[in-house]
Amino acid sequence: MTVAQLGALMPKSSIEKGVLAALVGSLLISFDPVFIRFSGTGGFDTAFLFGLFTAISMSSVIQVTDQRGLIRVMKQSGWPLIISSLLIVGSASTFVLSVKHTDVSNTMIIMSGRPVTTAAFSWLYLREKTSPALLAAIVGVILGMGIVVSGSLESPHLLGDALALLTVIFLGLNGALLRRYPEVSRMAVVGLAGFFMALIMFFPAQPSSYTLSTWLIMGAMGLLSAPIGRVLNGVSVRYIPAAEAALITLSSTIFAPIWAFIIFREVPTSATLLGGAVVLATIFGYIQWTRKRR
């Protein structure tokens, strides 16, 4: 492929940049449950390592690539940086614990409710308009999520499903906040969130018990896939509405259960499959509608 051909494939408009960032970010994030399951540690230990490596990777990248340096970047981002970081701590911690207590497919499909909370908080906080098509898509997502949860009401998975619902709330709040303050460094947000998480989870964690494979697996997640994916999701809302970005990132709902089936032979329940089908049809329908409109 020539340079000209490669350049032709690159996104030209701001909308295309936002959509691409959201899609690539969600693909990377879809590998999170795989790393968490392979870590071989409890939820608090996994969250501690996730936070530690994320803080290291993001602070290093900022220091090397940004002429302002890490300290100035954080100062210029101001108080929204701290609030956004704490919201990520909440979403990442509940996500890790959810994967430990329920099926991967359940966690990811419940997280598909993110557009619902993002659109709601964006309307309350930003007065951001929501199109009829997006509202219809949100209704479809709610329906699919409800079907998934209904299959866990009388099973041990209920705790994990409840934690996934908390994750959705934290993600929605953070999506609206970053939409309101686009100048906040996304890498600084993810890095500071990692620092806070490692600090909080250090006390219940037991680092002395980790094996070498645990350090390597969580290093791959915390240094590469997870922080890059979250930064791309944060960048996407600079170019497209927060609720639309959240809807596009639901593609991770499709990818993660596929990895879980291939690697762990984890077969989703009938309720999970039905709910996932509703969510999948909603996503494709919305993308097709927006493509025609543009």
Side-chain angles (χ1 to χ4, degrees):
M1 181 177 291
T2 65
V3 175
Q5 291 174 327
L6 183 62
L9 296 176
M10 297 301 291
K12 301 297 189 300
S13 68
S14 60
I15 293 177
E16 290 176 341
K17 291 178 181 178
V19 170
L20 181 62
L23 284 173
V24 175
S26 64
L27 176 61
L28 292 174
I29 290 174
S30 71
F31 287 103
D32 285 359
V34 176
F35 287 115
I36 292 171
R37 288 287 181 85
F38 271 130
S39 67
T41 61
F44 293 120
D45 298 280
T46 304
F48 165 72
L49 289 171
F50 177 26
L52 176 65
F53 284 118
T54 299
I56 293 172
S57 63
M58 290 296 96
S59 59
S60 300
V61 170
I62 293 173
Q63 191 64 36
V64 171
T65 61
D66 198 309
Q67 295 181 348
R68 296 173 296 172
L70 177 62
I71 302 300
R72 183 175 294 180
V73 167
M74 295 179 66
K75 286 183 176 179
Q76 292 180 354
S77 295
W79 66 266
L81 169 65
I82 298 176
I83 302 300
S84 180
S85 298
L86 291 175
L87 289 172
I88 289 183
V89 170
S91 64
S93 301
T94 52
F95 170 73
V96 169
L97 294 172
S98 175
V99 171
K100 293 289 186 178
H101 290 87
T102 190
D103 290 340
V104 170
S105 54
N106 281 36
T107 297
M108 300 306 294
I109 291 175
I110 290 172
M111 284 178 61
S112 67
R114 177 184 177 185
V116 179
T117 54
T118 301
F121 292 129
S122 294
W123 177 77
L124 289 171
Y125 184 49
L126 307 178
R127 298 301 177 186
E128 192 172 83
K129 293 182 179 180
T130 301
S131 67
L134 183 57
L135 286 174
I138 287 173
V139 171
V141 169
I142 291 176
L143 177 60
M145 186 172 60
I147 294 172
V148 174
V149 175
S150 68
S152 300
L153 293 178
E154 297 180 359
S155 74
H157 294 163
L158 184 58
L159 174 59
D161 290 359
L163 289 167
L165 288 172
L166 283 176
T167 304
V168 168
I169 294 174
F170 286 127
L171 288 172
L173 284 168
N174 196 45
L177 179 68
L178 291 178
R179 181 68 175 172
R180 172 63 179 81
Y181 298 98
E183 72 280 1
V184 175
S185 170
R186 272 48 179 175
M187 286 191 289
V189 166
V190 176
L192 186 59
F195 172 77
F196 286 152
M197 188 185 306
L199 186 64
I200 295 170
M201 296 297 173
F202 173 78
F203 298 98
Q206 297 178 322
S208 60
S209 64
Y210 302 160
T211 64
L212 177 60
S213 63
T214 297
W215 285 100
L216 292 176
I217 290 169
M218 292 309 299
M221 175 184 174
L223 293 173
L224 298 172
S225 66
I228 295 174
R230 283 160 176 78
V231 167
L232 288 174
N233 278 351
V235 168
S236 68
V237 298
R238 290 181 176 177
Y239 303 103
I240 55 179
E244 183 174 344
L247 188 64
I248 294 173
T249 57
L250 291 181
S251 55
S252 61
T253 305
I254 306 168
F255 294 125
I258 293 175
W259 313 145
F261 174 75
I262 294 174
I263 299 172
F264 305 114
R265 298 302 177 187
E266 186 178 285
V267 181
T269 64
S270 57
T272 300
L273 289 173
L274 178 58
V278 172
V279 171
L280 181 62
T282 300
I283 295 172
F284 281 131
Y286 177 74
I287 291 176
Q288 187 66 25
W289 183 87
T290 53
R291 184 174 296 174
K292 290 180 178 179
R293 292 278 294 181
R294 290 167 184 164

